[in-house]
Amino acid sequence: MFEHIVVPLDGSPLSDAALGIALGLGREAEREIVCLHAVDTRGVIVPSAGLVYPYNPTPLIDALKLQGEAILADALAKAKTANVRITTQLVFDDPVSAVTRTAQDRNASVIIMGTHGRTGLNHLFLGSTAEGILRSCSIPVITLRGAAHAPSMTGAFVNALIAIDDSDPADAAIAMAIALGENERTKLNFCTVVQTDALFGKASAFGYDPRPYIEEVNAAADNLLDRPLRRAIDRGLSATTFVAEGKVVEEILKSAEEIDADLIVIGSHGRRGLRRFFVGSVAEELVRTSVVPVLVVRMEREPIAASKTRALEPV
């Protein structure tokens, strides 16, 4: 679990927090940790060829390189203090391509990164970098938006909220959660959200009693949660389940706060099952808004096989 870790660094507090998590995991077990800094020269080279005021971009490129080397040297110093061995890599490329290619070349099991950076020459890592990596890379990604909530240097995620629906990415998130429980001793809290807002609106508009349908959907949600709970219990893991009602992202964040979760695990999109709760936008919105680290497990493509479960939709 997390045997090969890639950590993009840009010198911001969030990337420092991501490094802290990786070093903590490295203290727990022997893992390959690659710290990467991408020098994106596009913002320097393209303007330098302008017809009005052309200039020599070399000094600016050298400054970017020196800054990257300083960031990686700082990471090496922190790793030495933590008694963890890491590898550093300086790459001249755009951040999304650099991180994705490095993760693939290193056979990474996870990427740990901040959602954006706010320090450094040219603000190399922006929010679009995290989103680009989430969309283009099939490797699981842990994103951090709130450095204060990161379990820095502890070496483990203690209490994870796993938000699921009836979809293949949710199945992958469940498998990832089981691995977390087995290998990192993480407590697992499986949750699904019943979206009642649209149902009540239609019930009011068409004048019918929504309660029987709510009972049916809640029963289906309980059945959905029973499978991962049994898998966890069969492996001797600590696990609970609960059903929330309301808007999906809002309820996930609220639930994570209520159980004091230090990690949210979610599949990146859903295509079948219980009201198709989770689409790509849910994972992206969690990444943008959650102060708790989010582990996104992405499926590259939809399986051809038809769904075994019919979606429950209000009429």
Side-chain angles (χ1 to χ4, degrees), residues 221-233:
D222 288 334
N223 289 334
L224 177 68
L225 293 169
D226 185 62
R227 181 170 56 89
L229 179 63
R230 288 181 181 275
R231 285 179 61 184
I233 291 176

Side-chain angles (χ1 to χ4, degrees), residues 67-301:
Q67 182 190 51
E69 290 172 345
I71 289 171
L72 295 177
D74 180 66
L76 282 169
K78 290 175 179 174
K80 183 176 181 180
T81 300
N83 197 28
V84 176
R85 186 170 59 183
I86 68 171
T87 301
T88 61
Q89 193 169 334
L90 188 73
V91 179
F92 287 83
D93 202 348
D94 73 89
V96 173
S97 297
V99 175
T100 301
R101 187 178 300 111
T102 300
Q104 291 171 343
D105 291 345
R106 295 280 184 163
N107 195 26
S109 47
V110 69
I111 298 167
I112 307 177
M113 65 180 302
T115 57
H116 59 266
R118 286 293 178 266
T119 65
L121 198 58
N122 208 30
H123 295 240
L124 297 183
F125 280 84
L126 304 176
S128 58
T129 299
E131 291 184 15
I133 290 170
L134 287 170
R135 291 192 180 101
S136 62
C137 188
S138 61
I139 297 166
V141 179
I142 296 176
T143 62
L144 292 85
R145 179 177 167 269
H149 289 74
S152 178
M153 299 302 293
T154 61
F157 292 101
V158 176
N159 197 31
L161 172 71
I162 304 92
I164 67 169
D165 64 349
D166 183 24
S167 71
D168 291 294
D171 292 343
I174 291 169
M176 176 66 72
I178 296 296
L180 275 170
E182 290 181 327
N183 297 290
E184 311 296 338
R185 303 181 298 278
T186 306
K187 180 182 178 181
L188 309 178
N189 303 272
F190 296 99
C191 169
T192 193
V193 182
V194 174
Q195 297 181 82
T196 56
D197 49 338
L199 176 63
F200 282 114
K202 289 190 176 184
S204 176
F206 293 101
Y208 66 86
D209 183 2
R211 286 175 295 180
Y213 182 77
I214 292 176
E215 292 175 2
E216 181 183 352
V217 173
N218 274 293
D222 288 334
N223 289 334
L224 177 68
L225 293 169
D226 185 62
R227 181 170 56 89
L229 179 63
R230 288 181 181 275
R231 285 179 61 184
I233 291 176
D234 288 346
R235 288 164 172 76
L237 307 179
S238 176
T240 62
T241 65
F242 59 95
V243 178
E245 292 185 10
K247 296 181 179 179
V248 177
V249 173
E250 182 179 305
E251 291 302 320
I252 292 173
L253 296 176
K254 186 188 301 182
S255 298
E257 182 179 2
E258 288 174 353
I259 68 171
D260 195 26
D262 56 9
L263 182 69
I264 297 173
V265 183
I266 187 169
S268 64
H269 59 82
R271 286 294 181 269
R272 73 176 200 271
L274 203 60
R275 297 200 63 205
R276 298 186 180 184
F277 283 160
F278 296 106
V279 294
S281 59
V282 173
E284 289 183 15
E285 189 173 348
L286 282 174
V287 168
R288 293 191 191 102
T289 58
S290 175
V291 295
V292 177
V294 179
L295 170 54
V296 179
V297 185
R298 183 177 180 273
M299 297 288 288
E300 282 199 75
R301 61 179 181 270

Side-chain angles (χ1 to χ4, degrees), residues 42-53:
R42 293 172 301 174
V44 174
I45 293 177
V46 174
S48 71
L51 297 178
V52 181
Y53 298 109

